[in-house]
Amino acid sequence: MAMQDKSWRDGALQLSTLPLLVIFAAFFVIPLGMTALLSFQGTQYYRLVWTWDLDIWRDVFGQWHYWRIMWRTLVMALVCTALTTVLAVPIAYAMINRLSKWSHHITLLMVFAFLTDAVLKTFGWVLFLDRSGVLNGMLAGLGFGPGAVDVLFSPTATMIGMVYNLLPYTIFTTALSMARIDRDLVLASYDAGATRLRTFFEVTLPLARPGILAGAVLVFVLALGVFLEPKVMGGGTSPMAAELIRQSFETRVNWPLGAALTIVLIVIGALVLAAAGGLAAIRMRRSKA
Amino acid sequence: MPSPIIEATGIQKYYGDYRALTDISLSVANGEFLALVGPSGCGKTSLLKILAGFEDLSGGSLTIDGRDMAGVPASARPTRMVFQKLALFPHKTVAENIGFPLKLAKRPAAEIDAAVRHMIELMRLKESYLTRFPHELSGGEQQRVALARSMVSQPPVLLLDEPMSALDAKLKKSLQAELKHLHRHVGTSFVHVTHDLEEAMMLADRICVMRAGQIVQLGAPAEIYYRPADAFVAGFIGDTNLLPARLTPEGAGLRFDCDALDCAAPMLAPGQLAPGLEQGGEALLMIRPEMLRLLAPGETAEATIEGEVAEFFIRGASIQYRVAPSGGGAEIVMDLPGTSVLPAQAGDAVRLGLTLSDIFAVRP
Amino acid sequence: MNDRLEKRLADIVLYGSVGAVLVFFYIPIATLILFSFTESRFLSWPIPGFSLRWYGELLADRSFWSALGNSAVLAVLATLFATVLGLAGAFAWSRYRFRFQWGFRVLTFAPLLFPQLLLGVVMLLWFSVLAGWLNMSPGLWSAVIGHVVYIVPFCIVIISVQMQGYDDTLDYAAEDAGATRWQILREVTLPLLWPGIFSAATFAFLLSWGNFYITYSLSGSARTLPTFVFSGIAVGSSPIYPALATLTFVPALVLIFAVDRLRRRADRKRALARAAAEAG
């Protein structure tokens, strides 16, 4: 659809932007600035003290403990991104190209699963994977010993939970970009003598790349901030950065520390976003040239 | 001449640095059917949008129905538009679509209902269509609903933005006839944008030919066809022959020098000249294909062309010959009335003849 | 490779992957539904017998009812604000072009790219400061604001998608017919965008209803269903949570299918209109 040029004096533009701008400034931009400021303060006896120094930052970068948790968070986020991205490709492809008659119902089933309360679903996984849960119960019925699968309360369980909660994002973005591929391009490839597999790698996959990249970036950023899965499924044995942030607010009541850790995670996320954005921009410029 | 309903003076339209319209002055008489024609990008649609109020003027003035239109929004103008893509509201029934302008004008329901029924009848639509949705109608029926919606409030001016460009040839013909009928019946002024000059000639009282944001010629269809202002207008419709020539004043008329034509007395009367050629100079002689005839051996004409038939096309009512002149130069196009026995075959040597008064000279 | 063999293999991989992922998605959901009918107090397999007693226990739990009430209030308010703001934002995103539009888009899209917990935490810091000044403590009100900021980008995207298929000449046609800006909006634009607005509202409702991280950070002492479950299972699991899950799944499923029917009907109408216009 055509875009209408609007000046900021136009009432319609003001009506459609100003409320959002005010709300996002007041409850998103200012809080972000506030968080940055807080990271330069200190605490004493569980109370905030306006010290304006770098103590917290020295602490964050100086302690091995934080480095280790940050490293673990990064690795977990990367593994989760890789798994969800790779898994999404065949699923999205099948939904768009093979099951087009059913893709609508499949999408609905996925949306429902996606929108359901994450706490409950994660709890459902605990019940399923537990030593005396459904999986082991069924395996025992097949003749395996009791507790044949013992993954609950381990990083593997955390990863299962993360993949479970984030996979819909990559499936949706990948399927969306695959659905937009002109079917004639695929037919042209067959016509040129390419096999299905060849066509998939030469035509479909490159054209779907923007969606795949977008999904991967989204999952990575979201994976940086999980604490439900490490806590409920990982049993708190291998905490990730978000758990650290939660603790610094709740148990240790050290707001400046929590603020600094939050900033670190936001910066990592922003860097990845910027890198992906840059990559996409370069590709776009090249394909236009 | 009746008083003008539209009076445009020196209209300018810029999009940034791009000049879409340069100094357009034009008046449309009450009840007139005016066609705006020109190639795409000539500014005809911009002009229509300016009349409708969807675009602002960059300069000049516009009066419609005696009122200055500066600052008057589209919704308050005495004009209605039929859109290229019809723009029927998919969520409203046919009756709601047609009655929409009256509903907005807060007319009583009974009046709206009566007006809608009247339009349905005028447009030869079935009454059972009233409760249907636009997508349940055929393309031609949708067209009539769109026309009905634009006409229901009896606007003094109806603007049509190529509403028939998407239709197939046959449907187009029948709707063109109906549009003409409608125009005669309602007495509204029509301004009709089209890139199809044939359609314009068939429908309009006057045709305004535009190019690159300017009016090239404004006149009755016969004038546009037989006395084009320049080579661009001459070549805009169908096939035409434009033969390069040199004109020199001699006596009351002009003598022409044209390699393609064999002519004993090559003279043109002043009435056969487009503006700017009174003093002679380089020119193009326009000869419409239907002005040429095939000469029998020994038959003579005021001017003749010798050549060989390159190709011919049977077009139903006429047969078109493309003849390569023996003296070289561009192929000559000739339309002969259709006959069951072909007067000439491809490869035949032929002689074409014409009457000098059928020639019209334009500037190259 | 033989083309037929290749096709067979591809089919196995493709159909298999979709089947597997659906099973994967529904494992915890099915597990919860199964356990909600257990007779036993312990959530272990096999289930000794079926009963509805945990539904009774759940319904007798006062804190469940207060969490349900809070969830409903929070979701309704968040849906209302997020949908209206999202609709306004979608106009600015997809229909208008203006100076600094890029900035507007980045700002209103950013929360979508934020880990929810961080979004919550960042706002919590600010609300705690505000609360100190205004002498009030974070509660449902701050959770509503948090949810709105988090959900608005989703609504903008969904409504913008609906706008992509919108034919603006319809607006011009309405204006030409004599409609004012407000009449155009009410008579033409909004009715045609309605399926998109409705799906945005549904999505907003479900996102708010199931949200854990932001509610957890911002709702103070008020509990919603997700935080009620979280604090419950932290103490010790009980079959009332599977019962709760089963009870809340049903309305969500009904809602999603209802919205889908509505949307598909609108899409079909549009496709028909387009086909008719092209056939014309």
Side-chain angles (χ1 to χ4, degrees):
Chain A
M1 75 184 284
M3 305 277 257
Q4 298 165 20
D5 282 303
K6 291 272 177 194
S7 127
W8 278 102
R9 260 172 302 210
D10 190 306
L13 182 63
Q14 290 171 1
L15 200 66
S16 64
T17 52
L18 289 186
L20 274 170
L21 284 178
V22 168
I23 289 173
F24 276 68
F27 302 116
F28 184 58
V29 178
I30 294 179
L32 272 179
M34 186 76 197
T35 308
L37 288 186
L38 268 180
S39 70
F40 298 104
Q41 319 308 332
T43 42
Q44 232 174 1
Y45 309 117
Y46 299 119
R47 285 185 69 97
L48 184 68
V49 187
W50 294 81
T51 52
W52 297 103
D53 56 28
L54 292 172
D55 284 1
I56 289 292
W57 285 106
R58 237 172 262 133
D59 207 29
V60 167
F61 284 109
Q63 284 202 28
W64 179 233
H65 178 61
Y66 295 134
W67 280 100
R68 213 180 51 206
I69 288 183
M70 279 297 167
W71 177 246
R72 180 188 295 141
T73 307
L74 268 181
V75 170
M76 291 292 275
L78 279 174
V79 171
C80 178
T81 305
L83 285 174
T84 51
T85 308
V86 170
L87 286 175
V89 170
I91 296 164
Y93 184 84
M95 278 169 64
I96 298 302
N97 296 298
R98 289 301 166 82
L99 296 155
S100 49
K101 202 171 144 197
W102 294 104
S103 88
H104 194 77
H105 294 91
I106 296 171
T107 312
L108 274 192
L109 283 172
M110 288 185 181
V111 168
F112 172 69
F114 169 60
L115 286 175
T116 308
D117 185 344
V119 181
L120 284 173
K121 284 184 300 191
T122 312
F123 182 54
W125 273 112
V126 172
L127 301 183
F128 184 77
L129 293 176
D130 194 65
R131 277 182 67 86
S132 57
V134 178
L135 182 61
N136 281 309
M138 292 200 304
L139 288 176
L142 293 173
F144 288 88
V149 178
D150 193 12
V151 295
L152 196 61
F153 307 136
S154 73
T156 311
T158 304
M159 186 53 68
I160 292 175
M162 286 169 66
V163 169
Y164 179 84
N165 283 324
L166 296 172
L167 183 57
Y169 287 99
T170 51
I171 293 180
F172 292 146
T173 53
T174 307
L176 214 59
S177 63
M178 281 186 180
R180 290 173 70 158
I181 295 175
D182 186 351
R183 181 87 192 128
D184 284 354
L185 294 175
V186 174
L187 294 181
S189 169
Y190 290 154
D191 186 65
T195 61
R196 286 159 196 283
L197 203 63
R198 192 71 195 273
T199 301
F200 175 77
F201 283 109
E202 298 263 352
V203 179
T204 312
L205 207 54
L207 288 173
R209 199 153 37 198
I212 298 174
L213 182 70
V217 170
L218 197 59
V219 165
F220 179 79
V221 171
L222 296 180
L224 285 179
V226 298
F227 88 84
L228 186 63
E229 295 88 345
K231 186 150 183 80
V232 176
M233 292 180 73
T237 51
S238 47
M240 287 168 60
E243 173 66 15
L244 205 58
I245 293 173
R246 193 189 68 82
Q247 280 175 6
S248 43
F249 281 107
E250 282 186 16
T251 13
R252 299 170 60 182
V253 202
N254 188 339
W255 286 14
L257 177 64
L261 291 170
T262 303
I263 298 282
V264 171
L265 271 194
I266 290 174
V267 168
I268 294 175
L271 287 178
V272 169
L273 268 179
L279 203 70
I282 290 169
R283 275 196 185 285
M284 211 138 86
R285 205 165 311 136
R286 271 229 309 263
S287 65
K288 263 186 198 149
Chain B
M1 185 170 160
S3 64
I5 185 98
I6 299 177
E7 188 76 68
T9 320
I11 286 181
Q12 314 264 352
K13 180 69 193 174
Y14 309 121
Y15 297 103
D17 287 338
Y18 175 69
R19 311 184 108 198
L21 294 175
T22 330
D23 196 24
I24 300 279
S25 294
L26 168 81
S27 73
V28 180
N30 209 344
E32 187 180 6
F33 196 136
L34 179 83
L36 295 175
V37 299
S40 40
C42 71
K44 57 190 193 294
T45 302
S46 292
L47 181 57
L48 198 76
K49 283 185 173 164
I50 283 174
L51 297 180
F54 295 129
E55 302 263 5
D56 301 325
L57 290 179
S58 310
S61 74
L62 175 65
T63 310
I64 300 179
D65 206 13
R67 275 201 299 149
D68 184 28
M69 287 293 124
V72 179
S75 53
R77 292 196 178 196
T79 57
R80 288 281 179 264
M81 181 134 155
V82 182
F83 291 83
Q84 186 167 18
K85 286 187 283 171
L86 304 185
L88 293 173
F89 304 119
H91 60 301
K92 291 181 187 287
T93 62
V94 167
E96 285 168 344
N97 263 289
I98 298 177
F100 190 58
L102 297 178
K103 180 183 166 194
L104 292 171
K106 300 213 165 57
R107 294 288 184 58
E111 187 193 323
I112 297 179
D113 188 56
V116 168
R117 279 173 199 282
H118 175 68
M119 289 317 294
I120 285 276
E121 204 176 314
L122 191 64
M123 291 297 149
R124 295 172 199 174
L125 286 162
K126 294 191 193 117
E127 226 179 86
S128 61
Y129 287 0
L130 285 174
T131 52
R132 294 206 193 164
F133 286 94
H135 64 82
E136 294 169 316
L137 305 184
S138 74
E141 288 159 352
Q142 291 182 357
Q143 197 92 38
R144 287 171 215 211
V145 173
L147 263 172
R149 182 180 67 188
S150 322
M151 297 291 298
V152 73
S153 56
Q154 299 176 318
V157 179
L158 187 69
L159 308 170
L160 299 108
D161 183 14
E162 304 201 39
M164 291 189 261
S165 57
L167 298 179
D168 65 65
K170 203 172 161 194
L171 195 55
K172 203 167 171 173
K173 281 274 180 298
S174 80
L175 274 163
Q176 283 167 346
E178 221 158 307
L179 196 61
K180 185 86 183 168
H181 165 82
L182 182 72
H183 175 250
R184 218 172 280 134
H185 187 82
V186 296
T188 296
S189 303
F190 282 26
V191 179
H192 181 109
V193 162
T194 176
H195 59 263
D196 179 352
L197 191 57
E198 245 168 290
E199 180 176 300
M201 301 230 302
M202 194 176 141
L203 297 174
D205 299 323
R206 278 196 307 158
I207 294 174
C208 173
V209 184
M210 295 179 65
R211 182 179 51 175
Q214 283 178 304
I215 295 177
V216 189
Q217 191 174 9
L218 178 60
E223 201 178 324
I224 302 280
Y225 189 71
Y226 293 112
R227 303 175 55 80
D230 61 14
F232 167 76
V233 179
F236 195 65
I237 180 174
D239 305 291
T240 203
N241 299 298
L242 293 167
L243 308 176
R246 220 190 131 63
L247 306 185
T248 36
E250 194 178 298
L254 287 122
R255 158 179 284 275
F256 65 86
D257 222 341
C258 176
D259 295 340
L261 287 179
D262 289 329
C263 192
M267 289 295 292
L268 294 178
Q272 287 173 266
L273 303 172
L277 282 175
E278 296 80 1
Q279 300 309 312
E282 296 296 330
L284 292 170
L285 303 185
M286 181 189 84
I287 303 165
R288 292 285 180 195
E290 64 275 17
M291 308 285 189
L292 290 164
R293 59 187 188 272
L294 195 62
L295 296 180
E299 191 184 349
T300 57
E302 286 181 4
T304 58
I305 304 168
E306 277 184 38
E308 184 180 296
V309 175
E311 277 172 291
F312 65 89
F313 310 101
I314 297 180
R315 309 215 295 190
S318 66
I319 306 170
Q320 182 169 88
Y321 281 91
R322 301 188 82 92
V323 176
S326 4
E331 278 181 2
I332 304 288
V333 185
M334 169 176 68
D335 282 350
L336 296 182
T339 52
S340 56
V341 182
L342 286 174
Q345 298 283 352
D348 288 359
V350 288
R351 252 177 0 115
L352 316 182
L354 80 151
T355 310
L356 283 183
S357 59
D358 287 338
I359 295 177
F360 190 75
V362 295
R363 290 213 294 178
Chain C
M1 203 198 285
N2 181 325
D3 199 47
R4 286 235 338 241
L5 186 70
E6 190 183 306
K7 182 177 176 343
R8 175 104 23 110
L9 257 168
D11 279 349
I12 292 172
V13 171
L14 293 174
Y15 291 119
S17 68
V18 171
V21 82
L22 283 177
V23 170
F24 179 58
F25 278 160
Y26 280 86
I27 281 178
I29 294 174
T31 306
L32 288 166
I33 294 175
L34 217 59
F35 274 119
S36 73
F37 296 107
T38 186
E39 207 176 55
S40 154
R41 150 172 314 277
F42 303 103
L43 294 166
S44 58
W45 190 261
I47 292 171
F50 287 90
S51 86
L52 292 174
R53 78 177 256 227
W54 298 106
Y55 286 89
E57 298 249 338
L58 175 71
L59 298 181
D61 188 335
R62 299 244 333 244
S63 49
F64 160 70
W65 286 105
S66 91
L68 183 70
N70 284 338
S71 274
V73 169
L74 178 56
V76 166
L77 290 178
T79 302
L80 209 66
F81 287 118
T83 310
V84 171
L85 289 167
L87 178 64
F91 273 93
W93 262 68
S94 335
R95 294 208 72 181
Y96 303 154
R97 197 165 36 201
F98 50 92
R99 268 163 69 91
F100 310 119
Q101 185 170 32
W102 189 83
F104 178 78
R105 285 185 176 168
V106 168
L107 179 65
T108 49
F109 196 69
L112 198 63
L113 299 172
F114 249 69
Q116 286 183 46
L117 177 77
L118 302 192
L119 197 61
V121 159
V122 163
M123 276 194 261
L124 173 68
L125 291 176
W126 176 234
F127 284 135
S128 306
V129 173
L130 273 187
W133 291 342
L134 303 173
N135 203 15
M136 56 201 284
S137 51
L140 267 189
W141 65 274
S142 47
V144 170
I145 296 174
H147 279 211
V148 168
V149 171
Y150 166 61
I151 294 168
V152 158
F154 286 94
C155 292
I156 291 181
V157 169
I158 293 171
I159 299 174
S160 284
V161 167
Q162 182 82 19
M163 281 182 179
Q164 295 303 314
Y166 189 85
D167 179 7
D168 323 295
T169 43
L170 293 175
D171 282 10
Y172 287 120
E175 190 183 351
D176 186 71
T180 59
R181 266 175 154 184
W182 169 243
Q183 282 172 319
I184 296 172
L185 197 66
R186 206 189 52 200
E187 291 275 350
V188 180
T189 316
L190 289 185
L192 288 173
L193 291 179
W194 177 239
I197 297 170
F198 197 65
S199 358
T202 315
F203 217 80
F205 186 88
L206 291 171
L207 277 175
S208 170
W209 182 264
N211 185 278
F212 166 68
Y213 286 104
I214 293 178
T215 314
Y216 179 81
S217 330
L218 290 179
S219 67
S221 57
R223 289 234 171 99
T224 62
L225 289 177
T227 52
F228 166 72
V229 174
F230 181 76
S231 53
I233 59 177
V235 181
S237 53
S238 151
I240 65 166
Y241 303 115
L244 185 155
T246 310
L247 281 184
T248 52
F249 288 164
V250 177
L253 202 60
V254 169
L255 196 58
I256 287 179
F257 274 90
V259 171
D260 176 62
R261 272 185 73 111
L262 193 90
R263 208 196 163 93
R264 277 215 291 180
R265 224 172 41 204
D267 281 354
R268 201 159 41 224
K269 210 176 252 180
R270 210 159 59 190
L272 273 172
R274 202 173 305 133
E278 273 158 19

